Amino acid sequence: MSGMETFLEMGGHAGYIWPAYGIVALVLAGLWLASRRFVRASNAELEDLNPRARRKRGSGDEA
Amino acid sequence: MIHRFANPTRFLRLADRIQPWAAGLTVVLGGAGLYFALFSSPADYQQGETVRIMYIHVPSAWMALFCYTALAAACATALIWKHPLADLAARATAPIGACFTLLALATGSLWGKPMWGTWWVWDARLTSVLILFFLYLGYMALNGAFDDPERGQKASAILALVGFINVPIIKFSVDWWNTLHQPASVIKMGGPAIHPSMLTPLLLMAFAFKAYFVWVLLMRMRGEINAMKIRAVRLRQVHAAEATSADAGAATGEAR
C-alpha cells in the first residue's frame, strides 16, 4: 500500500475522520460566502437607495 | 472608551485595518494547523487516528462557548448602555456561534461513534451543548420576529442573557455529572495534560478559528451597519412622503 493510501485510510477510521474535516470545511466556507453575499447585497442596496452615500463614504465625513 | 467606536464610520475604518490581518491569520494558522493535525502529529495510543478529530472538535466547542459569551456581553452592553453597535455585534455573532456549535456537535458525533460506540447520548455535556445550539437559533428567530426591530432586539437580548446560565453548566457538566465525555485536559489546574505534539495542532486550530471569527464578524457587522442605514433612509422616505401628502391634504382643505 502506498504512503498516500495509508494516509487516506486513517488507520481504518477514514469514514469518521474525513467527514468530520469535510463538514468543518463546508460549514465555515458556507458561512463565509453567505456573509460576503450579505455585505455585497447590502452595499449595492444602499448605493441604489442613496447615490450620495458613495461620495460620502469615500471622503469618510459621514455622521 | 466604550463609546469611542459608537460612530459607525470610525468603527468601519478600524475594521478595514483589522480585517486583512484576520483573513491572513485564518489562512496561515489554519494551514499550519491542518498540517500538524493531519500529517505531523502522532496517533493516540488508545484512540488511534481518530484523535485527529480532536483538533477540529475541541476548537469548535471552545468557539461555541466563546461566541455565546461574546453574544451575552454584547446584549448586556446594548441593554444597559444602549451602545449603537452592540446590538449589531450581537446579531453578527449569533450565526457564527451557531455554526461552531453545530460543528462541535457534528464532529463530536463522528468521534463518538468509533470511540464510544454511539453517535449520541443524552448526557449532561451533549444535551447542554444541544441546548446552546437552540439558544442561538432562538436568539436569531426572536431578533427578527418583530415589525419594530427595537422590540426584537430587546426581547432577544433578554433571552440571550437568561440563556447565559447554560455556559457554566456546559463547562462544568463533565465534573458535576457522570458522562461519557472526558473532562477538560487543556484548561485545567496544574497545566495541560496533553503532549506538546498534540497541543501544537490543537492551539493552532484554536487560534485559526478565533481569527476566522474576527474576520467573519467584521464582514457581518459591515452588512448590519449597511442594513441599519438602509432602514434609516427608508424611514426618512416614508416620513417625507407622509409630510407631502399631509401638505397636499391641507392645501385641498384650504381650496375648499
Side-chain angles (χ1 to χ4, degrees), chain B residues 58-72:
Chain B
V58 172
S60 298
W62 282 344
M63 287 310 295
L65 291 177
F66 173 83
C67 290
Y68 199 88
T69 308
L71 174 70

Side-chain angles (χ1 to χ4, degrees), chain B residues 151-192:
Chain B
R151 285 182 64 200
Q153 286 162 19
K154 201 168 271 181
S156 57
I158 290 167
L159 172 75
L161 285 175
V162 172
F164 186 69
I165 186 71
N166 194 30
V167 168
I169 291 179
I170 292 174
K171 169 75 184 137
F172 296 110
S173 58
V174 282
D175 305 322
W176 292 343
W177 292 287
N178 282 319
T179 165
L180 278 180
H181 199 284
Q182 64 165 341
S185 43
V186 177
I187 304 168
K188 60 175 236 165
M189 301 283 281

Side-chain angles (χ1 to χ4, degrees), chain A residues 4 6-7 9-47 49-50 52-53 56-57 59-63, chain B residues 7-9 12-13 34 37-39 47-53 55-56 60 95-96 99-100 102-103 106-107 109-111 113-115 119 205 209 212 215-216 219-224 226-227 229-230 233-234 236-237:
Chain A
M4 192 60 191
T6 323
F7 171 67
E9 285 252 306
M10 281 286 163
H13 287 120
Y16 301 104
I17 295 170
W18 293 119
Y21 277 82
I23 192 173
V24 169
L26 208 72
V27 169
L28 293 186
L31 177 67
W32 184 84
L33 280 170
S35 304
R36 194 181 61 159
R37 198 175 323 143
F38 173 43
V39 175
R40 289 192 171 176
S42 63
N43 264 337
E45 193 180 347
L46 193 63
E47 277 174 18
L49 216 55
N50 184 6
R52 278 179 307 148
K56 279 191 176 177
R57 211 173 308 139
S59 61
D61 61 352
E62 201 172 351
Chain B
N7 179 326
T9 311
L12 286 176
R13 226 176 297 150
L34 280 178
L38 292 171
F39 298 97
Q47 307 202 11
E49 303 283 350
T50 60
V51 74
R52 302 193 191 285
I53 296 177
Y55 306 127
I56 45 178
S60 298
I96 313 176
C99 281
F100 278 121
L102 181 70
L103 289 178
T107 54
S109 195
L110 283 161
W111 197 7
K113 184 61 183 165
M115 287 303 105
W119 298 105
M205 291 306 278
F209 279 17
Y212 171 90
W215 185 13
V216 175
M219 277 167 78
R220 298 196 73 88
M221 282 191 73
R222 203 178 289 275
E224 295 287 353
N226 282 341
K229 288 180 181 167
I230 290 168
V233 173
R234 288 256 159 81
R236 266 206 303 274
Q237 285 174 347

Side-chain angles (χ1 to χ4, degrees), chain B residues 119-160:
Chain B
W119 298 105
W120 183 262
V121 278
W122 290 101
D123 78 350
R125 173 55 73 84
L126 280 70
T127 308
S128 54
V129 174
L130 184 66
I131 291 172
L132 183 75
F133 182 59
F134 290 138
L135 278 169
Y136 278 119
L137 296 188
Y139 171 85
M140 290 191 279
L142 198 57
N143 194 290
F146 293 86
D147 287 333
D148 175 9
E150 238 171 79
R151 285 182 64 200
Q153 286 162 19
K154 201 168 271 181
S156 57
I158 290 167
L159 172 75

